[in-house]
Amino acid sequence: LSIRDQKPVELTVNEVLEDATARLREQIKAELEWEERRLVDRQHWMTLERVFIENRVYKKIETARTEEKVLEAVHKGMAEFRDQFIRDMTDDDVKRLLEIRIRRISAYDIEKHRTELEELLGALADVRKKLKQLTKTVIAWITGLIERYGDKYKRRTKVTSIDEIDKKAVASANLRLTYDEETGFFGSDVRGSEFGLNVSEYDRILAVSSDGT
């Protein structure tokens, strides 16, 4: 049994496997899409942080007297480098940039940032490749499970061929036939005592009288 549309349904073995595979595929896809969004968010922030520090955009807020003017100054300063952005910058992004401590700005390592960004882009490319080749990704995931846990969890069932069975050959001889001399009837519903036979429902009876008929 399986659940479809919140109702129990009876499925064949093949249908169960197809249903389980489809659900696994959707789960792996969802996990990869979540990881892709996380990496893109990280790429977006690293790009903003680099532009903000490398181009000293933070210097533009020194003369701002109100929070509104500070936000405006950052937006204007960052706008010059909009072509480098991963997506549009929001007020929340600006507020996060303003939370960067002076110590981090002074200790900012451009080479380290580039290395980290290259690693991130490599991971992002790998995730997108897996999403593009989702069927291969699912097969690789299942194969990986077998390689890691196959020896620990041995198969408990056996695959065997099922021979065709002749139902007539295995039928039980559970019918009792008798002959009633008084009525001349012969069968399973006859209450006689002569010529008793135990037969199955598939047996055929040949009756021959004394005169050969």
Side-chain angles (χ1 to χ4, degrees):
L1 291 177
S2 183
I3 303 298
R4 285 186 176 177
D5 299 325
Q6 299 182 345
K7 296 180 180 179
V9 292
E10 188 173 334
L11 303 176
T12 65
V13 173
N14 285 340
E15 288 173 333
V16 169
L17 288 174
E18 290 173 359
D19 186 63
T21 302
R23 286 188 283 112
L24 175 61
R25 179 186 174 92
E26 289 304 311
Q27 183 176 352
I28 291 177
K29 180 183 178 183
E31 290 177 357
L32 288 172
E33 289 174 340
W34 178 87
E35 179 65 8
E36 181 184 27
R37 290 193 297 271
R38 187 188 71 82
L39 290 172
V40 170
D41 287 344
R42 177 62 179 158
Q43 181 188 13
H44 172 67
W45 169 247
M46 290 181 69
T47 301
L48 293 182
E49 185 182 49
R50 177 186 60 78
V51 170
F52 184 73
I53 297 175
E54 198 175 49
N55 297 283
R56 298 186 177 183
V57 177
Y58 56 87
K59 290 283 187 179
K60 297 183 180 296
I61 67 174
E62 293 178 349
T63 57
R65 294 291 179 264
T66 65
E67 181 180 358
E68 183 180 353
K69 290 295 183 181
V70 169
L71 293 175
E72 183 181 332
V74 175
H75 271 292
K76 185 175 179 180
M78 295 291 286
E80 300 176 27
F81 311 97
R82 185 175 298 162
D83 59 329
Q84 300 178 37
F85 293 178
I86 304 302
R87 59 172 181 254
D88 290 341
M89 186 177 66
T90 65
D91 285 343
D92 287 338
D93 291 326
V94 172
K95 291 176 182 178
R96 187 176 175 186
L97 287 171
L98 292 171
E99 291 174 356
I100 299 176
R101 297 180 180 276
I102 297 298
R103 181 180 298 177
R104 175 164 176 75
I105 291 175
S106 60
Y108 186 74
D109 188 334
I110 294 177
E111 289 304 318
K112 181 181 178 182
H113 176 276
R114 288 175 180 170
T115 300
E116 291 177 352
L117 184 59
E118 286 177 3
E119 292 175 354
L120 184 149
L121 292 176
L124 183 58
D126 184 56
V127 168
R128 286 173 172 169
K129 181 179 178 181
K130 289 179 179 179
L131 277 169
K132 189 175 182 180
Q133 302 176 347
L134 191 56
T135 299
K136 289 184 177 180
T137 300
V138 175
I139 293 173
W141 188 86
I142 295 174
T143 302
L145 284 182
I146 295 173
E147 291 175 351
R148 276 180 289 174
Y149 305 110
D151 293 336
K152 296 180 181 179
Y153 302 96
K154 299 293 185 180
R155 182 177 185 142
R156 296 184 178 181
T157 57
K158 294 182 179 180
V159 179
T160 59
S161 59
I162 300 176
D163 297 328
E164 185 175 351
I165 298 175
D166 184 356
K167 59 183 179 181
K168 295 180 181 179
V170 297
S172 299
N174 55 3
L175 293 178
R176 177 71 176 173
L177 303 182
T178 56
Y179 172 70
D180 186 345
E181 184 177 6
E182 184 177 338
T183 62
F185 288 109
F186 178 74
S188 59
D189 292 332
V190 176
R191 296 182 179 180
S193 59
E194 298 186 48
F195 308 112
L197 295 173
N198 289 324
V199 298
S200 74
E201 59 183 306
Y202 300 106
D203 289 331
R204 294 184 178 182
I205 307 301
L206 175 64
V208 181
S209 64
S210 59
D211 61 0
T213 58

